[in-house]
Amino acid sequence: MKSLARSGVLFLATVAPWSHAAAPDPSLLGCWRATKIVLHTQDGSRTEDASGRCTLRFGEDAYESVCATSRGTATSSYQYRIDRPGFYLATMSGSTFRTSLVGSTREYEYHVDGNRLVTVTTNPKVAPPAAPGAALRVETQAERTPCQ
């Protein structure tokens, strides 16, 4: 009986934090249009895009990124979970653009202030010999938009 009780406590101790971590943040849900994306590369250069051509659509445990490009539309899908307040882990589950990144996971710091979303992610795997221009840090500012 003690073993069963101990197993039950152990189960709750491991499941309770996971279930708390997996709770969606209602402030993220819905659609967002990127108003500014800043890529910081390893060589110190910085590229900024304020075209508004990228949108995000957040569901409870998945989101999709769609960007208009000169070659058409680039779509990437992700499974995500809130890791702790202000942070989520996103695993790319599909992409029409960066298929080599499918299955990779990144941590994003985020902040929602009304209709404004700011995210920041760093890529700890970018180290010599990284591809020239590989993004070390990506900062995104977005505004809530009606879902199409």
Side-chain angles (χ1 to χ4, degrees):
M1 190 60 144
K2 286 182 187 178
S3 177
L4 181 60
R6 204 174 306 138
S7 296
V9 169
L10 216 108
F11 174 76
L12 288 175
T14 57
V15 171
W18 177 258
S19 64
H20 174 71
D25 181 345
S27 70
L28 271 177
L29 302 179
C31 296
W32 303 87
R33 176 167 305 283
T35 56
K36 185 192 236 181
I37 302 169
V38 181
L39 304 175
H40 298 268
T41 60
Q42 191 173 17
D43 65 8
S45 65
R46 172 184 151 136
T47 305
E48 188 173 311
D49 180 355
S51 67
R53 63 190 176 100
C54 295
T55 59
L56 298 169
R57 182 182 195 122
F58 276 88
E60 290 191 3
D61 62 358
Y63 71 93
E64 183 176 70
S65 169
V66 178
C67 294
T69 71
S70 60
R71 295 186 178 156
T73 302
T75 303
S76 296
S77 53
Y78 301 83
Q79 295 295 312
Y80 82 98
R81 69 178 174 84
I82 304 299
D83 187 44
R84 60 191 185 279
F87 292 84
Y88 65 83
L89 292 173
T91 301
M92 185 183 283
S93 54
S95 181
T96 61
F97 175 63
R98 295 283 215 165
T99 56
S100 64
L101 295 177
V102 172
S104 65
T105 300
R106 287 183 90 155
E107 180 180 68
Y108 290 79
E109 181 177 359
Y110 74 95
H111 177 73
V112 177
D113 184 12
N115 288 328
R116 187 167 178 254
L117 168 66
V118 176
T119 65
V120 176
T121 186
T122 57
N123 187 354
K125 294 181 180 177
V126 175
L136 181 61
R137 178 180 169 95
V138 180
E139 302 165 0
T140 303
Q141 296 176 19
E143 291 181 359
R144 193 175 295 278
T145 186
C147 294
Q148 303 288 325

